[in-house]
Amino acid sequence: MDRIRLVGGNKLNGRIPISGAKNAALPLMIASLLTDDTLTLENVPHLADVEQLIRILGNHGVDYAVNGRREKQQEGYSRTISFTARNIVDTTAPYELVSKMRASFWVIGPLLARMGEAKVSLPGGCAIGTRPVDLFLEGLDALGAKIDVENGYVIAKAKNRLKGNRFVFPKVSVGATHVLMMAATLARGETVLENAAREPEVVNLADCLNAMGANIVGAGTSTITIQGVDMLSGARQKVIPDRIETGTYAMAVAMAGGDVLLENARPDLLQTALDVIAQTGAEITPTNSGIRVTRNGHGIHPVDVTTEPFPGFPTDLQAQFMGLMTMAKGRSRITETIFENRFMHVQELARLGAHISLSGQTATVEGVDMLKGAPVMATDLRASVSLVIAGLAAEGETVVNRVYHLDRGFERLEEKLSGCGAVIERLSS
Ligand code: UD1
């Protein structure tokens, strides 16, 4: 299993190109199931989760082609990929595939809408909490689907097409919003989704669906209205820049110090997080080509943070922010409201010398003057990158084990950081 070795202490200086967003690319790829025409996606990040979803879609009959490899599309870089679901050969998503990546459960929406049936394995538990699928099932039921759960599978049927309806999400869910929006595009009549997720990835998906011929208004607000159409066609859509990757590297600079231009980053996708990072003492400057982050070496100010659905502070940046706060000049409180068990990084940060205590959903971090390098374990995608951030500022050597978590969501992490002066390398085994 690969490991990452870091030696902390260097400031970061230079440019980091921000990749296409994993969490936008995945639902856009799944949207290809809605049409027999070709959907071309630009700026698709080269990540383990994307490769896994390509395999899952292939199982349903989706062909893909990586376009224009010659033009700057080197191995490991964001690519343009075309997906064609001319014939859906299988409406079952088996346990072996769905259990590897939770977002693959989302195929249930397009399969049901286009084929009138879908049998999809329950995704099961996950390291950051129970993550149930009740909202998906309630929503699809509201659109007229007949839902049964048998032997670990959700069996959904809508023999005479889905039917538009009003559905109020009892809780904000990004995944359930993606799925119901996709399903409603091919339903008969109007669907109104209330208390919908407002994340930028939902807007990226709605833009793509509209380019495919759907009729969706209100994406990015909490009320999304969809007029169903008979069929969708192909389209071309660009994946938005990754706001979590942007925030992660901004926090890395805030922690290690330096001056880095985050190329292609869009401030509007993470304004709340940028405001928080600025409060810690870093300088954040939007430029024509991205976001410049500088920190002049003064102490890190402690800031309290509570995770919330967009436009609030994202749960996917909570671990990284805790990494930053471990060396703040004082005490900060970090409250997690989205997932009930998303603090596995606490004990690993403690191995680096961090002082953190947990009480329910709140972590209290007492900043220390210096962290000290140590062997640590990556436990999930975002938690593992918090260890990298902390390791960049720690004294001495840190080795992060189980880096396959990082490969799921961070494109060319070592290369991007070492390009800015960090001492970081992958140890393959
Ligand atoms: C997506 C992101 C993930 C991010 C999360 C919250 C992708 C691939 N993943 O995950 O990185 O951390 O949004 O911003 O885009 N819930 C239910 N019932 C359901 C569905 C969800 O109770 O049927 C709960 C979840 O357990 C959680 C909350 O709703 O407590 C929010 O989850 P949700 O927004 O659905 O997260 P994902 O879409 O899985």
Side-chain angles (χ1 to χ4, degrees):
M1 249 185 280
D2 286 4
R3 290 168 298 155
I4 283 188
R5 176 179 169 272
L6 302 145
V7 181
N10 285 8
K11 286 192 170 22
L12 301 173
N13 286 295
R15 294 160 178 268
I16 296 181
I18 296 302
S19 301
K22 169 181 86 76
N23 285 357
L26 300 180
L28 289 170
M29 289 165 67
I30 289 172
S32 69
L33 288 166
L34 286 163
T35 173
D36 61 7
D37 216 344
T38 298
L39 177 63
T40 299
L41 302 178
E42 297 171 13
N43 202 29
V44 179
H46 199 278
L47 298 169
D49 271 9
V50 167
E51 301 308 305
Q52 177 66 14
L53 185 57
I54 287 176
R55 279 191 285 278
I56 291 167
L57 293 174
N59 191 55
H60 297 297
V62 181
D63 288 328
Y64 78 100
V66 179
N67 300 346
R69 255 201 195 287
R70 280 168 298 135
E71 306 156 31
K72 288 200 270 179
Q73 299 217 3
Q74 294 134 287
E75 200 55 43
Y77 286 72
S78 292
R79 301 160 297 172
T80 296
I81 310 184
S82 295
F83 297 89
T84 311
R86 188 134 296 134
N87 297 305
I88 303 283
V89 296
D90 197 341
T91 54
T92 299
Y95 174 78
E96 300 75 57
L97 294 178
V98 179
S99 58
K100 292 211 175 94
M101 187 181 36
R102 184 183 157 84
S104 58
F105 182 78
W106 301 351
V107 298
I108 195 168
L111 287 176
L112 183 61
R114 180 167 157 198
M115 306 301 290
E117 60 172 38
K119 180 176 171 188
V120 181
S121 169
L122 288 166
C126 162
I128 61 173
T130 51
R131 300 180 89 176
V133 294
D134 53 327
L135 303 175
F136 295 79
L137 305 191
E138 278 174 42
L140 292 172
D141 177 76
L143 296 185
K146 183 176 167 296
I147 310 270
D148 289 302
V149 180
E150 272 172 30
N151 307 325
Y153 278 81
V154 176
I155 301 165
K157 293 200 170 125
K159 283 298 168 213
N160 298 310
R161 253 176 103 175
L162 292 168
K163 231 174 121 227
N165 198 352
R166 175 170 176 266
F167 181 70
V168 184
F169 288 96
K171 178 175 189 178
V172 177
S173 162
V174 176
T177 301
H178 285 319
V179 163
L180 291 187
M181 196 165 70
M182 285 192 276
T185 57
L186 292 178
R188 269 182 288 135
E190 180 180 275
T191 298
V192 180
L193 303 176
E194 311 242 25
N195 197 27
R198 291 181 280 166
E199 267 66 2
E201 294 76 18
V202 171
V203 179
N204 205 189
L205 177 62
D207 287 346
C208 179
L209 295 168
N210 281 338
M212 293 164 73
N215 185 347
I216 302 172
V217 294
T221 73
S222 47
T223 302
I224 303 178
T225 305
I226 304 131
Q227 305 292 342
V229 295
D230 289 340
M231 59 182 289
L232 295 176
S233 58
R236 195 176 179 93
Q237 183 69 37
K238 188 168 183 183
V239 177
I240 55 173
D242 196 317
R243 61 196 170 97
I244 304 305
E245 190 193 27
T246 305
T248 299
Y249 289 127
M251 289 180 197
V253 178
M255 179 118 190
D259 183 347
V260 172
L261 178 66
L262 303 173
E263 287 175 328
N264 316 318
R266 268 176 50 189
D268 58 308
L269 302 183
L270 73 159
Q271 199 53 57
T272 304
L274 292 177
D275 291 345
V276 168
I277 298 167
Q279 285 172 48
T280 70
E283 207 172 306
I284 307 275
T285 318
T287 74
N288 288 339
S289 53
I291 302 173
R292 186 172 166 205
V293 186
T294 49
R295 206 202 123 213
N296 60 11
H298 293 313
I300 301 166
H301 307 303
V303 182
D304 293 345
V305 145
T306 298
T307 63
E308 280 165 359
F310 192 84
F313 188 93
T315 173
D316 284 353
L317 285 174
Q318 181 256 106
Q320 298 89 315
F321 189 69
M322 195 180 298
L324 174 58
M325 288 296 96
T326 58
M327 277 177 54
K329 301 273 172 227
R331 174 185 298 170
S332 58
R333 284 192 189 78
I334 299 177
T335 304
E336 172 60 55
T337 69
I338 311 290
F339 293 109
E340 74 268 30
N341 183 26
R342 203 171 202 181
F343 281 134
M344 279 90 58
H345 41 285
V346 168
Q347 61 192 36
E348 297 302 310
L349 288 169
R351 295 173 61 77
L352 299 173
H355 288 179
I356 306 168
S357 60
L358 277 179
S359 171
Q361 293 299 90
T362 300
T364 303
V365 187
E366 302 284 349
V368 295
D369 288 341
M370 195 32 104
L371 297 175
K372 291 221 166 67
V376 289
M377 184 86 83
T379 51
D380 73 52
L381 171 55
R382 311 304 178 184
S384 44
V385 83
S386 76
L387 302 171
V388 172
I389 291 182
L392 287 175
E395 210 172 69
E397 181 181 284
T398 294
V399 176
V400 183
N401 291 286
R402 296 203 183 158
V403 295
Y404 56 83
H405 289 293
L406 282 173
D407 296 335
R408 287 187 39 220
F410 288 89
E411 194 177 58
R412 297 182 294 116
L413 175 97
E414 314 91 271
E415 194 185 315
K416 290 184 183 186
L417 286 171
S418 61
C420 290
V423 178
I424 177 168
E425 61 175 341
R426 180 175 291 251
L427 306 174
S428 298
S429 52

